[in-house]
């Protein structure tokens, strides 16, 4: 295919309509028909990237192989498509302005007054076309964050308007996502908010080609006709998106509604080939028909907002399906775990995952949860800060190093078993300065992780400043906590395990960023398998 086609996804009426899931679902359907597809997210906020944002703001910060700290929607794109994303797939207003201002300082605008139109809009257009110009994709889906009518999104909408004109008919289309609310007092679905939203888009010179209408109730043919007539779209282009029990149902629901067919028609692309979704359907089948169930405690300090640990939650869904097990993830606030209540709070768990995180709040609770898992033979997975807490717990309670800590929490600890990486010591800026992105790791032969991965050399994504302090390596190893994964170039410890425990693994990296429907992460698959095995073993022991 010579001409790259562009699909722009905008949203109206309210935020949180699930544009990311609709974009990912459409991309999946197009990919399943053989089109090389990727998705890009444009975020209208002024942070240069979401790396400096608290998870309470927009949920988890997702990390790509090339070290971009991005919006969590990129996680959905990778999980649905099994295609890696990069720096180019997430652009914020902050990044756009930073780049335009840097060009201005270099004198690249040749004395001109630098303005939103054309300089900011040109920069946006360039960023949209980077992926298209790479030649790697047939179709680019660009999701515009925010809601039409917002002051922040105006330059993006204007850039899209210009691009649609430049690309010409059939090369660029707009899918507008809206809400069709149900008024119980009137007992009916209301189309007016959608009409207003489409009108707002029109005022900016953009006509929606396809409407995707989020709804809690079936949209009748009559209402579809009404939406079509008043919103200036054809009836087949009014797509119902009703609430789903799992996000993984959405691609099939969109196919049923004909979203992919009408998209291809608008882009003048052949639609005769049916999408091949066999693998996807098989995954759904396993996910919906589990043979067993396990309960895993997710110990974190941002648990009030489930989106804070999005990739971990989704990794458990992939790993659950792989094992034909329903994984109930029970979120437990680390700040609520005291020496007194821990047994009660963790009762009924079959396995424990201690989550990533930053700062001091809740870390004593995390350390208690590690101890509980270690002493009660519960399968344990510690991710990033969770791995660091496992090292601290072992130092304190097995090696008797009272007050052992990470220098992140206690710079004056007598036993800095976790300390700042050498190259981090001179860093003063917070944004984009952590150890980020994919790093190679070598796994020790005969270790548990080697068996789990089935290979010696892996590459995993990182996002941290602190590390295992190699000065304590020998002592730890002699007492039974063994480093089994290393970066061969730097000597940094990336994995620890306790061989005498049924399944105890801590990883300095984030396996959750690499788990997809097509390729569930081996560490999560192995963990869930071990949790089930240990549960069954304990059940048999209690029956004997
Ligand atoms: N706060 C820790 C560090 O910076 C762990 C980071 C994380 O869990 N992502 O090293």
């Amino acid at each position: 295919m010579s001409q790259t086609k562009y699909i722009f996804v905008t949203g109206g009426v309210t935020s949180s309509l699930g544009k990311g899931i609709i974009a990912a679902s459409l991309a999946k359907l197009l990919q399943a028909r053989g089109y090389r597809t990727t998705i890009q997210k444009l975020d209208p906020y002024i942070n240069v990237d979401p790396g400096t944002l608290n998870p309470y703001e927009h949920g988890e910060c997702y990390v790509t192989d090339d070290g971009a700290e991005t919006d969590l929607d990129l996680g959905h794109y990778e999980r649905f498509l099994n295609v890696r994303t990069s720096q180019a797939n997430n652009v914020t207003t902050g990044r756009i302005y930073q780049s335009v201002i840097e060009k201005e300082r270099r004198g690249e605008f040749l004395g001109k007054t630098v303005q939103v139109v054309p300089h900011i809009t040109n920069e946006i257009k360039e960023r949209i076309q980077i992926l298209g110009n790479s030649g790697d994709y047939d179709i680019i889906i660009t999701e515009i964050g925010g809601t039409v009518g917002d002051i922040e999104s105006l330059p993006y909408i204007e850039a899209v308007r210009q691009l649609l004109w430049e690309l010409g008919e059939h090369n660029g289309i707009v899918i507008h996502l809206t809400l069709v609310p149900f008024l119980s007092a009137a007992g009916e679905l209301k189309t007016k908010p959608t009409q207003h939203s489409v009108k707002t888009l029109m005022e900016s010179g953009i006509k929606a080609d396809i409407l995707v209408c989020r709804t809690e109730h079936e949209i009748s043919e009559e209402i579809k006709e009404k939406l079509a007539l008043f919103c200036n779209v054809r009836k087949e282009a009014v797509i119902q998106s009703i609430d789903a029990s799992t996000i993984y149902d959405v691609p099939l629901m969109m196919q049923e509604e004909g979203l992919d067919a009408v998209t291809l028609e608008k882009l003048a692309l052949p639609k005769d080939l049916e999408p091949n979704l066999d693998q996807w359907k098989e995954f759904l089948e396993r996910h919906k028909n589990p043979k067993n169930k396990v309960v895993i405690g997710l110990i974190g300090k941002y648990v009030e907002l489930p989106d804070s640990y999005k990739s971990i939650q989704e990794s458990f869904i992939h790993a659950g399906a792989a094992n034909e097990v329903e994984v109930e993830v029970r979120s437990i606030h680390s700040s609520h775990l005291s020496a007194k209540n821990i047994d009660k709070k963790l009762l009924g768990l079959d396995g424990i995952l201690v989550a990533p995180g930053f700062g001091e709040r809740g870390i004593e609770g995390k350390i208690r949860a590690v101890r509980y898992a270690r002493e009660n033979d519960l399968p344990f997975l510690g991710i990033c800060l969770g791995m660091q807490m496992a090292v601290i717990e072992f130092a304190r309670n097995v090696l008797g190093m009272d007050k052992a800590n990470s220098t992140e929490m206690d710079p004056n600890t007598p036993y800095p078993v976790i300390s700042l990486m050498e190259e981090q010591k001179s860093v003063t800026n917070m944004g984009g300065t952590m150890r980020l992105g994919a790093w190679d790791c070598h796994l020790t032969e005969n270790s548990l992780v080697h068996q789990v991965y089935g290979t010696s050399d892996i590459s995993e994504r990182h996002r941290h400043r602190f590390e295992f302090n190699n000065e304590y390596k020998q002592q730890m190893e002699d007492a039974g906590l063994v480093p089994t994964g290393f970066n061969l170039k730097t000597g940094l410890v990336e994995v620890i395990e306790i061989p005498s425990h049924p399944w105890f693994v801590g990883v300095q990296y984030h396996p959750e960023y690499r788990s997809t429907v097509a390729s569930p992460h081996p560490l999560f698959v192995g963990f869930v398998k071990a949790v089930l095995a240990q549960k069954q073993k304990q059940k048999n022991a209690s029956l004997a």
Side-chain angles (χ1 to χ4, degrees):
M1 222 171 81
S2 53
Q3 165 73 47
T4 309
K5 307 274 184 172
Y6 290 85
I7 300 171
F8 301 99
V9 180
T10 58
V13 185
T14 71
S15 59
S16 306
L17 288 179
K19 285 198 294 278
I21 300 295
I22 293 296
S25 299
L26 175 60
K28 182 78 225 166
L29 294 173
L30 298 172
Q31 183 196 51
R33 287 179 186 260
Y35 293 105
R36 298 170 305 155
T37 310
T38 191
I39 320 176
Q40 176 190 44
K41 171 105 191 254
L42 305 182
D43 274 313
Y45 51 72
I46 296 171
N47 303 65
V48 171
D49 62 42
T52 53
L53 287 171
N54 186 315
Y56 291 131
E57 295 287 314
H58 298 277
E60 161 189 284
C61 171
Y62 187 76
V63 178
T64 60
D65 271 358
D66 66 349
E69 296 178 276
T70 76
D71 184 80
L72 60 75
D73 272 343
L74 270 78
H76 290 308
Y77 308 160
E78 289 205 11
R79 288 188 282 272
F80 274 52
L81 298 181
N82 201 33
V83 169
R84 303 262 160 97
T85 55
S86 69
Q87 298 275 1
N89 293 71
N90 192 195
V91 181
T92 69
T93 294
R95 177 81 71 201
I96 298 280
Y97 271 81
Q98 186 186 45
S99 156
V100 170
I101 291 169
E102 277 168 9
K103 285 181 188 165
E104 184 273 334
R105 293 287 81 183
R106 289 198 296 269
E108 286 182 27
F109 297 117
L110 306 174
K112 289 274 181 218
T113 307
V114 181
Q115 294 178 293
V116 172
V117 182
H119 301 96
I120 295 296
T121 45
N122 281 351
E123 184 73 27
I124 295 172
K125 287 195 296 185
E126 250 173 59
R127 299 280 179 151
I128 292 174
Q129 287 173 296
I130 284 177
L131 289 166
N133 294 341
S134 71
D136 294 337
Y137 306 103
D138 304 317
I139 302 174
I140 315 289
I141 301 182
T142 300
E143 179 193 345
I144 318 281
T147 310
V148 292
D150 291 351
I151 293 175
E152 286 91 345
S153 10
L154 283 175
Y156 291 99
I157 300 290
E158 170 58 13
V160 169
R161 187 196 66 75
Q162 291 182 17
L163 254 184
L164 286 168
W165 183 82
E166 287 165 17
L167 289 165
E169 219 184 338
H170 302 308
N171 293 326
I173 60 164
V174 173
I175 299 181
H176 189 56
L177 214 77
T178 72
L179 176 73
V180 177
F182 181 79
L183 278 197
S184 34
E188 55 184 276
L189 288 167
K190 291 293 180 189
T191 65
K192 196 75 87 187
T194 299
Q195 294 181 42
H196 279 297
S197 173
V198 168
K199 193 173 151 206
T200 307
L201 201 56
M202 291 252 230
E203 280 166 7
S204 305
I206 294 181
K207 180 189 166 306
D209 295 286
I210 298 172
L211 284 184
V212 174
C213 304
R214 295 282 291 113
T215 175
E216 289 173 359
H217 297 266
E218 291 281 340
I219 299 180
S220 66
E221 290 305 306
E222 204 186 327
I223 290 186
K224 277 192 177 174
E225 267 158 33
K226 189 172 169 187
L227 281 165
L229 180 64
F230 291 120
C231 298
N232 219 4
V233 296
R234 289 200 352 248
K235 193 176 153 222
E236 319 81 83
V238 179
I239 304 290
Q240 158 183 293
S241 168
I242 201 161
D243 288 356
S245 61
T246 154
I247 54 168
Y248 298 104
D249 271 338
V250 180
L252 300 177
M253 289 162 73
M254 289 301 103
Q255 187 193 12
E256 183 103 338
E257 279 285 314
L259 176 61
D260 54 335
V262 72
T263 299
L264 291 171
E265 205 179 291
K266 300 262 175 209
L267 292 172
L269 289 173
K271 54 172 186 172
D272 31 336
L273 270 177
E274 273 302 300
N276 179 354
L277 291 162
D278 294 351
Q279 195 189 32
W280 192 270
K281 287 181 185 158
E282 197 191 311
F283 155 78
L284 269 177
E285 188 66 28
R286 292 166 79 94
H287 170 54
K288 290 185 175 176
N289 300 293
K291 298 200 170 85
N292 288 294
K293 183 182 169 177
V294 294
V295 184
I296 295 180
L298 169 62
I299 321 292
K301 70 168 174 179
Y302 309 111
V303 291
E304 303 91 327
L305 185 76
D307 272 2
S308 307
Y309 302 110
K310 194 80 204 161
S311 294
I312 292 177
Q313 304 268 7
E314 300 305 314
S315 300
F316 275 128
I317 292 179
H318 310 153
N323 283 290
E324 296 180 285
V325 175
E326 178 190 345
V327 181
E328 180 191 326
V329 180
R330 199 171 288 169
S331 297
I332 297 170
H333 205 302
S334 50
S335 298
H336 300 164
L337 293 177
S338 66
K340 242 174 154 182
N341 70 14
I342 186 124
D343 289 348
K344 211 167 121 205
K345 289 259 183 199
L346 303 187
L347 190 73
L349 298 183
D350 304 312
I352 287 182
L353 184 145
V354 175
F358 295 83
E360 208 187 341
R361 186 168 65 98
I363 70 142
E364 293 303 324
K366 287 188 171 174
I367 294 172
R368 286 189 188 106
V370 177
R371 180 175 197 168
Y372 183 91
R374 187 177 55 78
E375 293 184 344
N376 292 290
D377 276 356
L378 275 192
F380 169 85
L381 179 59
I383 299 183
C384 207
L385 185 71
M387 173 266 203
Q388 299 176 353
M389 294 302 116
V391 173
I392 294 169
E393 191 279 322
F394 195 84
R396 286 188 191 175
N397 301 322
V398 178
L399 292 170
M401 296 175 175
D402 201 21
K403 298 210 171 83
N405 217 327
S406 161
T407 52
E408 177 182 6
M409 321 304 166
D410 177 5
N412 302 315
T413 169
Y415 302 106
V417 290
I418 303 292
S419 61
L420 203 57
M421 283 182 274
E422 211 38 56
E423 66 267 28
Q424 286 289 334
K425 291 189 177 154
S426 55
V427 169
T428 49
N429 263 0
M430 292 304 276
T433 54
M434 279 186 260
R435 181 182 181 209
L436 289 167
W439 289 73
D440 291 339
C441 171
H442 182 76
L443 305 175
T444 313
E445 207 103 348
N446 299 323
S447 62
L448 173 59
V449 275
H450 188 278
Q451 183 198 326
V452 163
Y453 278 89
T455 178
S456 300
D457 292 289
I458 58 167
S459 162
E460 292 280 7
R461 298 180 195 174
H462 290 247
R463 182 173 185 250
H464 61 108
R465 292 184 204 283
F466 295 82
E467 58 160 319
F468 181 95
N469 184 344
N470 272 322
E471 278 179 32
Y472 295 90
K473 184 164 166 269
Q474 198 56 52
Q475 258 174 295
M476 296 264 176
E477 210 165 318
D478 293 345
L481 182 140
V482 186
T484 52
F486 304 88
N487 180 284
L488 292 180
K489 281 199 194 114
T490 58
L492 291 180
V493 168
E494 315 284 36
V495 186
I496 55 103
E497 53 187 79
I498 299 182
S500 61
H501 185 282
W503 208 96
F504 190 105
V505 177
V507 289
Q508 186 57 79
Y509 50 79
H510 292 263
E512 72 274 22
Y513 295 145
R514 277 271 180 93
S515 187
T516 70
V517 167
S519 175
H521 197 284
L523 213 46
F524 277 89
V525 175
F527 180 45
V528 170
K529 194 172 161 200
V531 170
L532 181 65
Q534 188 65 6
K535 181 184 174 179
Q536 281 166 344
K537 195 172 145 198
Q538 280 178 348
K539 200 165 139 199
N540 292 343
S542 69
L543 290 176

